[in-house]
């Protein structure tokens, strides 16, 4: 995201030197349209019907005051995606401009210089992961975030600080703790898929892979999994401040 990484010069040079650019999921319009069909709650459900009228109005007031978001616009959306918007808003307070995702900027650049575009996961993989996260878990996470906005914002900015300091193991541990019971779904199983896809992509070509920092560290992290496959890895330090 821009607030954490505003100088893309060295990243662009790295993409220039690679054959393939691969973010976590494909970002072309067809893939995003397919993903868009899985953003909303199933069976015409709404947050307003899943929560009492009193609680819904409370959520609406908190979202408006603390995040500048209108809950009515997100009423049909899965709570997981609403939480993502809340995270972006929490981070945008640290930047002069609204938060933009690094993936899309790098995808556009790679496309502009005609690099082969791929991904570490397919849209089908991503949708399968999403379907494994229960609605009950998502609603409880939303309730927790809105019940203690200062804690939610503090944890979000703590993750940003760890990212900027490039303390990936501490970031991994905090992320793992934050997602609790779904760490197998969101981290471990996805890491194995992404490591396998990276190995396949890099058989004959050089690859620039862009994944979330929480996927790197730990015994099931990408760095460990790739080392097990014989890859020799060296960190590249950046000035993110």
């Amino acid at each position: 995201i821009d607030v954490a990484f505003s100088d893309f010069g060295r990243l662009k040079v790295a993409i220039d030197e690679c054959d393939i650019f691969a973010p976590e999921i494909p970002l072309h319009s067809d893939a995003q349209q397919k993903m868009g069909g899985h953003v909303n709650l199933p069976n015409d459900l709404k947050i307003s019907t899943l929560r009492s009228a009193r609680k819904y109005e409370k959520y609406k007031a908190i979202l408006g005051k603390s995040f500048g978001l209108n809950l009515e616009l997100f009423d049909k959306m899965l709570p997981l995606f609403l939480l993502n918007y809340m995270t972006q808003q929490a981070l945008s307070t640290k930047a002069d401009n609204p938060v933009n995702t690094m993936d899309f900027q790098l995808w556009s650049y790679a496309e502009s210089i005609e690099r082969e575009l791929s991904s570490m996961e397919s849209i089908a993989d991503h949708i399968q992961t999403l379907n494994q996260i229960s609605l009950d878990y998502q609603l409880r996470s939303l309730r927790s975030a809105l019940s203690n906005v200062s804690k939610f914002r503090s944890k979000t900015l703590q993750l940003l600080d760890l990212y900027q300091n490039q303390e990936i193991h501490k970031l991994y541990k905090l992320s793992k703790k934050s997602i609790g019971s779904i760490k197998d779904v969101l981290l471990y199983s996805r890491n194995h898929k992404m490591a396998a896809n990276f190995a396949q992509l890099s058989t004959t070509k050089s690859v620039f892979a862009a994944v979330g920092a929480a996927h790197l560290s730990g015994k099931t992290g990408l760095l460990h999994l790739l080392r097990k496959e014989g890859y020799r890895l060296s960190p590249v330090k950046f000035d993110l401040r």
Side-chain angles (χ1 to χ4, degrees):
I1 54 174
D2 281 350
V3 66
F5 205 134
S6 57
D7 182 5
F8 291 95
R10 290 177 69 187
L11 296 182
K12 290 178 178 178
V13 170
I15 294 174
D16 290 342
E17 296 173 351
C18 289
D19 302 308
I20 301 172
F21 175 72
E24 287 188 12
I25 61 173
L27 299 177
H28 54 75
S29 57
D30 288 347
Q32 291 303 298
Q33 186 175 7
K34 185 176 181 180
M35 187 66 201
H38 296 267
V39 168
N40 289 340
L41 287 158
N43 305 319
D44 295 322
L45 290 173
K46 299 179 182 180
I47 295 175
S48 58
T49 59
L50 293 168
R51 305 288 85 173
S52 67
R54 180 173 173 273
K55 187 164 288 186
Y56 179 80
E57 289 302 319
K58 183 179 179 180
Y59 284 7
K60 183 178 176 181
I62 295 171
L63 274 171
K65 180 179 179 180
S66 300
F67 300 96
L69 298 173
N70 182 353
L71 182 54
E72 292 180 4
L73 300 178
F74 300 90
D75 198 21
K76 296 181 180 181
M77 185 175 286
L78 285 167
L80 193 68
F81 288 97
L82 174 54
L83 284 161
N84 186 54
Y85 277 99
M86 290 164 59
T87 299
Q88 291 183 32
Q89 290 301 106
L91 290 172
S92 69
T93 61
K94 297 274 286 185
D96 295 329
N97 300 309
V99 170
N100 296 310
T101 60
M102 184 191 299
D103 284 356
F104 277 102
Q105 295 186 53
L106 296 181
W107 177 278
S108 295
Y109 177 72
E111 188 173 35
S112 73
I113 61 170
E114 299 184 338
R115 289 297 175 266
E116 182 179 339
L117 300 173
S118 188
S119 61
M120 298 289 278
E121 293 181 290
S122 68
I123 285 292
D125 288 335
H126 210 62
I127 291 171
Q128 183 182 35
T129 296
L130 185 62
N131 290 337
Q132 292 180 70
I133 304 172
S134 72
L135 181 54
D136 179 66
Y137 175 90
Q138 295 183 51
L139 288 168
R140 284 189 284 111
S141 298
L142 179 62
R143 180 186 64 193
S144 175
L146 293 176
S147 296
N148 195 335
V149 171
S150 61
K151 182 179 179 180
F152 175 83
R153 194 182 301 276
S154 175
K155 187 172 290 185
T156 300
L157 296 180
Q158 186 181 358
L159 286 167
L160 172 62
D161 189 61
L162 291 172
Y163 179 88
Q164 290 178 321
N165 288 322
Q166 299 168 73
E167 298 182 68
I168 61 169
H169 190 64
K170 288 183 179 179
L171 186 150
Y172 155 72
K173 289 175 68 177
L174 181 59
S175 298
K176 182 177 69 169
K177 182 179 178 181
S178 298
I179 59 179
S181 62
I182 62 169
K183 57 183 178 291
D184 287 336
V185 173
L186 280 187
L187 284 179
Y188 302 159
S189 63
R190 293 179 65 207
N191 288 349
H192 282 282
K193 286 181 181 178
M194 288 194 283
N197 286 341
F198 181 85
Q200 184 176 16
L201 287 171
S202 61
T203 301
T204 58
K205 296 181 179 181
S206 56
V207 182
F208 185 112
V211 302
H215 291 287
L216 298 177
S217 192
K219 292 182 179 179
T220 58
L222 286 174
L223 300 182
H224 180 73
L225 294 175
L226 291 174
R227 285 193 178 103
K228 282 179 63 178
E229 293 300 315
Y231 287 86
R232 292 192 297 174
L233 308 176
S234 300
V236 179
K237 293 291 185 179
F238 286 86
D239 181 8
L240 302 182
R241 291 289 181 179

